[in-house]
Amino acid sequence: MSLLAALPVVGSLTTAVLLLVLSRWPRIQKGLALGSNLLLFSIALALLVEVREGGIQVHHLSGWPPPYGIILVADLLSSTLLTVTAGVFLAALVYSLGYMEKESLRLSYLPLFFFLMTGVNGAFLTGDIFNLFVFFEVMLLSTYGLLITWDPKGLISRAEKLEATFKYLILNIIGAAVMLLAIGTLYGTTGTLNMAQLSVRIQTLRAAGVVHIDLIALLFVAVFGLKAAAAPFHFWLPDVYTSAPTPVSAILSGILNKVGAYMMIRLTSLLFVGFEGVSEVILLLGLGTIILGGVMAMGQSDIKRLLAYSSVSQMGFLLLAIGLASGQAIAAAIFFLVSHAIISSMLFLAAGGVTHLTRERSIDRMGGLAGSSPFLAITFLIGIMALAGIPPLNGFISKLLIFQAIIDSGRLLYVLIALIGAFLSIVYNFRAWLDTFWGKTRRTEKRSLSLYLLLPVGFLAAISLLLGIFPEPLVDLVSQVGVQATTPDFYVEAVLGGVT
Amino acid sequence: MVSFLALVIGILFGVAVWAIRHGNTLRIVIGLSILSNTVNLMLIAVGFKGEIAPIIGLEGAPADPLVQALILTAIVIGFGVTAFALVLSYALIKEEGSTEVDAFRRLRG
């Protein structure tokens, strides 16, 4: 029993409710939001330290022990992701305070922001597969609300927002139905919803020759693939990212599609261990995603849409590492996940700064911004160099680890395809930077960005640079995470403690 | 009883798919609502081990109470999402001046 494991969920839920109550006093509301996000960040860090020293932390909700009660489990993987989540949310929150319109910030944005955080934290922590479904829905419902929040700069029309949200909504309702179907079938087959117990029973049943478990696993892959925007399910992503308010796009690409990837890791290394067919499907999805995202990103001229496709392509690398499912590959996947969360949210925030300055979304009609806003030019350059995998940035180390993992698994054709994807990412990323910041100056309007907009970008860029120059602590951490995540016995032992 | 449930689930699923495939915004929302209820019925079928109400101490096999708790949760979530979907489609129809999804083509790929 550990109360610390429940705090990220309880804390953000309480904050969300308080923010609703405090909507008449905007100053207090803003202060509370910032304060509790900082607090949640320190809680997540404390949890990470606690898990690293004292092993996996389990919280029994209302004191009911597993396998009957619902539990929250914080292992190294969850607590690492919780820390990243709190960090990216903090940056996005500061940015929103300067970016969003006052009225919508006060009435709906801030409460929904913390409801979203509740959903994400819950999805990372829960040890019960039906509870995961509930947290997914919490997350999605708050996302819908955040997506249609009015963008103050008027760059995105109302119709565009509604259309993108409608698309996203329909896909996710179907996704929820499929997920519920998969959970129902899994429960009917194994008679439990507890993830640790599921892990044990699925192995037993599979050894006994139950065939349809593979199909259930594939249903889950489809659902989480939709969340992670893997290749055949990626088509909602560019529309949604482009029409969302900038800080929300940053969270979507930084955190929300990582939730899908996180569940993929749980699928291959906890629930369905040793299902080669499933891993192979994830690998193929990853390859398709890399190439498709890369090729589509080449042809984009809208700056946010280009970043959105680049985010699709990068998710492919992540899926590739997850599909390999070895301890080393999962460690590489987590390094990649952490660094991509930081880089992509930073890039979206910086792109928001660019559109704020130029009142323009198409990179063809931009140019020469490096002279008027060197800060944005440098941070954006750090971001794209990291995405393209150029040393000395964290993106380089994450790609290196993934390539090492693929080469060690002996799939040379996959290495080749991934290399093509990496090459494409260099081309489209630098095209975005050159068109925006270099060349002839198109616009000469004198605008400046407030500190609210610059601070988060600088913060994330600095972390990205630091992790690139001093990667050892994170590499140590992720190799521990990799070992712990790919050994289901640790998880099962911590949750059930001998009961099966 | 279970085969009857299977038949109903099959028919409802067909209706849902037909409604979603139709290009009308409201029909899509209705179809999705039917779809989520079809899955709920499927969950009932999973827990349908006997016709006795689930109280400990009765003779014979009772129905599984856990599944019914799951369905309650799923119904509540489905209700919330459907309400939001209706409001959203109303706004969308008013904005675009059409109820057909083929008319919404600002965003592609």
Side-chain angles (χ1 to χ4, degrees), chain A residues 158 163 166 184 187 305 309, chain B residues 25 43 64 95 104 106 109:
Chain A
R158 196 177 132 85
E163 194 182 320
F166 191 65
Y187 178 73
R305 194 168 271 268
Y309 273 113
Chain B
T25 315
L43 281 178
D64 190 341
E95 188 73 32
F104 311 153
R106 275 162 219 277

Side-chain angles (χ1 to χ4, degrees), chain A residues 199-238:
Chain A
S199 165
V200 177
R201 291 199 183 167
I202 285 173
Q203 290 307 320
T204 327
L205 285 173
R206 190 164 195 242
V210 180
V211 187
H212 68 270
I213 292 186
D214 284 81
L215 295 178
I216 302 175
L218 287 179
L219 278 182
F220 276 118
V221 169
V223 176
F224 300 137
L226 176 68
K227 300 276 183 293
F233 313 112
H234 72 283
F235 48 90
W236 57 270
L237 185 143

Side-chain angles (χ1 to χ4, degrees), chain B residues 6-46:
Chain B
L7 189 70
V8 174
I9 292 169
I11 293 172
L12 279 180
F13 188 76
V15 172
V17 171
W18 177 79
I20 295 170
R21 288 281 293 124
H22 237 269
N24 186 305
T25 315
L26 284 178
R27 217 174 275 185
I28 290 175
V29 175
I30 294 168
L32 290 172
S33 174
I34 296 175
L35 181 70
S36 48
N37 282 312
T38 313
V39 177
N40 291 345
L41 267 186
M42 209 273 322
L43 281 178
I44 290 187
V46 165

Side-chain angles (χ1 to χ4, degrees), chain A residues 2 21 100 119 159 231 292 425 431 442 460:
Chain A
S2 146
V21 177
M100 299 304 294
L292 206 121
S425 80
R431 187 175 75 94
R442 302 290 176 92
L460 291 172

Side-chain angles (χ1 to χ4, degrees), chain A residues 2 101 164 207 234 257 264 272 278 316 366 396 408 470:
Chain A
S2 146
E101 199 189 41
H234 72 283
N257 66 29
M264 289 272 198
F272 301 97
V278 176
M366 293 181 195
F396 166 69
D408 286 352
F470 307 106

